Amino acid sequence: MHKFMKQQLIVALILILTTPVFGQSKDRRAVLDIQGRVREISVSPNEKIWLVTALGNIYYTNHIDSNWHFGNPSVESKALFDIYSLKLIEKQGLNRISFFNKDTAIMTGYISANNEESKKNGYYFTKDAGKNWELMDFGGDSWIYTVYTDKQGNAWMGGLSKKIYYSNDFGQSWKTLEVALNKSDRIYSIDMIDAQNGIAGSENNEIIMTTDNWETSKNIPTPFDQKKYPKNERTKSLDPYKRISKVQIWNNCIVLKQEEEVFYSEINNIDWKSFPIKVCYFELDKDSKTLFVIDDNLRILSFTTPNNYHLITNETLTSNPIDIKAVNGSLFIVSFENEIYKVNQNGLIRSIPYTTERKIEEPGIVKQGIKLIWG
């Protein structure tokens, strides 16, 4: 009996040791080598996730848990020498994809409108969910810094000019709207409540609001105007620019980020205040009117009012976000480590982009031992 049990134990050990070798297939996916700087994460209404880069590369996945693919076009980026600034500038820089619906979208950034060495800027248009992209001309020559689109086919673009470019036909044609910026030459953020009412933030301490789709606008005071910033060496160094990098209208409030500080105020009584926790990033879910935030401890929370908030998940981000977007009640995040997150009431999903469309790179240095090869 003792001998029989010993034989059984030996057989069990052999099975345990050999099953991983013969039962598991090797993961032959390669880590997606993202070429170029990523500025934003783009998410379609059916949660297809896109990353585009300053070198003209396009990457996408059909689901956060799926493999990543290479998109079209892969726009070649050539460095041009600007004789005025004495600097090299990129010819084609893709910054974002903005969706009207799951099939129709525009891709913007610093894009040559005619694919030649020209300073005139254009954009790409798709009506088949990004399978094909058409290079088009919006009639301006601005580097596009911000885009707002809605389900009704309206779009507003702003950038390196005192102009907003407006489309009401899903991005196929554009009208140029002059805006009343007094001190600024760049628009960094646009947010619209509907086709008539909206807000925009600029690079030089200016916020403007409209009630007639930018035919007219009015300035409102900023946190810097109201001296709401702490007096220290960092805030002294911000003069004279004080960029409004993001602004959104949330119920009866405005939320903005001016340089590194986030504030809110009631629309009808502009008095900027800080949130009860240190908010570093924010994004509004338009459908639920929930304000997603990330705090200084990389926790993810949601606000229903400026003083009513709760923790969405006990898990935190492992690195700082580059950009965040709210789609279908979930917060999508791309980090500086090129990690992709999806966060909602069901928890947090963290994903590293992998692809089967490229081979795993051979290590630069390979050593061979008697039984092992490593690199």
Side-chain angles (χ1 to χ4, degrees):
M1 182 70 179
H2 178 72
K3 184 177 179 181
F4 177 72
M5 290 180 65
K6 187 175 181 180
Q7 288 175 339
Q8 282 188 320
L9 180 62
I10 292 171
V11 170
L13 286 172
I14 291 171
L15 288 172
I16 291 169
L17 293 172
T18 56
T19 299
V21 176
F22 298 103
Q24 285 185 350
S25 60
K26 291 183 179 179
D27 188 347
R28 301 191 180 278
R29 300 177 301 163
V31 175
L32 184 68
D33 183 17
I34 298 173
Q35 296 291 319
R37 181 174 58 176
V38 173
R39 287 179 179 268
E40 298 186 21
I41 186 171
S42 303
V43 185
S44 69
N46 61 349
E47 299 189 10
K48 191 173 180 177
I49 305 170
W50 298 75
L51 299 176
V52 298
T53 78
L55 292 180
N57 297 304
I58 303 170
Y59 312 97
Y60 71 91
T61 181
N62 292 315
H63 187 269
I64 190 168
D65 287 331
S66 301
N67 290 329
W68 283 73
H69 308 280
F70 294 79
N72 288 316
S74 186
V75 183
E76 182 182 2
S77 180
K78 296 180 179 179
L80 304 178
F81 187 72
D82 187 340
I83 61 172
Y84 299 103
S85 65
L86 301 179
K87 293 180 181 178
L88 287 172
I89 58 174
E90 291 171 342
K91 175 187 172 185
Q92 302 280 28
L94 305 178
N95 293 158
R96 72 197 60 79
I97 299 173
S98 307
F99 294 90
F100 298 97
N101 51 53
K102 67 181 181 64
D103 296 317
T104 310
I106 55 175
M107 182 162 53
T108 55
Y110 186 74
I111 302 169
S112 175
N114 51 14
N115 253 343
E116 297 175 359
E117 293 189 1
S118 165
K119 287 187 177 181
K120 188 170 179 60
N121 283 273
Y123 68 106
Y124 285 97
F125 173 82
T126 184
K127 56 182 178 182
D128 57 7
K131 294 176 183 176
N132 297 283
W133 293 92
E134 181 182 358
L135 181 61
M136 300 180 72
D137 185 352
F138 61 82
D141 59 357
S142 298
W143 186 337
I144 299 302
Y145 295 158
T146 180
V147 178
Y148 183 87
T149 57
D150 65 21
K151 298 174 184 177
Q152 290 70 45
N154 297 297
W156 295 262
M157 303 193 305
L160 189 54
S161 71
K162 296 184 178 184
K163 298 172 183 177
I164 289 177
Y165 303 95
Y166 170 66
S167 172
N168 62 2
D169 58 2
F170 294 88
Q172 296 181 83
S173 63
W174 299 85
K175 177 182 178 182
T176 301
L177 307 171
E178 299 282 347
V179 293
L181 290 172
N182 300 318
K183 300 177 288 185
S184 305
D185 295 316
R186 304 181 184 195
I187 297 172
Y188 279 107
S189 183
I190 299 172
D191 188 59
M192 301 295 294
I193 301 175
D194 52 40
Q196 299 296 315
N197 297 277
I199 193 168
S202 75
E203 110 262 26
N204 198 3
N205 197 39
E206 281 189 277
I207 309 168
I208 51 176
M209 298 189 69
T210 186
T211 57
D212 55 12
N213 194 22
W214 304 108
E215 294 296 332
T216 62
S217 60
K218 68 174 183 178
N219 285 66
I220 63 172
T222 70
F224 262 93
D225 293 333
Q226 294 186 344
K227 304 187 186 315
K228 295 301 175 77
Y229 269 73
K231 293 183 179 181
N232 54 41
E233 291 302 316
R234 189 187 70 81
T235 54
K236 287 180 183 178
S237 68
L238 298 179
D239 290 319
Y241 299 105
K242 314 178 188 77
R243 175 191 301 184
I244 309 291
S245 57
K246 186 168 185 175
V247 60
Q248 291 185 312
I249 298 174
W250 173 42
N251 297 326
N252 63 337
C253 292
I254 303 168
V255 185
L256 64 77
K257 187 171 188 176
Q258 185 164 26
E259 295 300 336
E260 297 303 316
E261 301 291 332
V262 174
F263 299 91
Y264 74 92
S265 171
E266 292 183 8
I267 294 177
N268 296 325
N269 179 28
I270 301 300
D271 181 20
W272 297 106
K273 300 175 183 177
S274 297
F275 284 92
I277 60 172
K278 176 65 175 179
V279 174
C280 297
Y281 308 89
F282 67 90
E283 177 72 6
L284 176 63
D285 179 31
K286 292 279 186 175
D287 293 329
S288 68
K289 305 299 183 185
T290 298
L291 188 72
F292 289 102
V293 310
I294 300 172
D295 71 2
D296 55 344
N297 293 312
L298 298 182
R299 300 184 304 168
I300 303 117
L301 306 97
S302 66
F303 280 77
T304 52
T305 69
N307 292 297
N308 185 10
Y309 63 93
H310 74 276
L311 195 64
I312 298 176
T313 173
N314 289 324
E315 296 183 76
T316 61
L317 304 183
T318 59
S319 59
N320 285 311
I322 295 174
D323 185 47
I324 62 178
K325 292 288 191 306
V327 177
N328 298 335
S330 296
L331 188 67
F332 292 83
I333 305 162
V334 58
S335 78
F336 280 95
E337 300 297 327
N338 289 333
E339 299 166 324
I340 308 298
Y341 296 84
K342 177 183 177 181
V343 186
N344 55 34
Q345 297 299 331
N346 296 322
L348 178 149
I349 300 173
R350 173 181 170 269
S351 173
I352 297 173
Y354 285 95
T355 183
T356 58
E357 297 176 11
R358 294 288 191 275
K359 292 182 178 180
I360 298 174
E361 292 186 5
E362 293 290 335
I365 300 175
V366 176
K367 296 291 184 181
Q368 184 165 358
I370 297 173
K371 294 184 178 180
L372 295 174
I373 299 174
W374 69 92

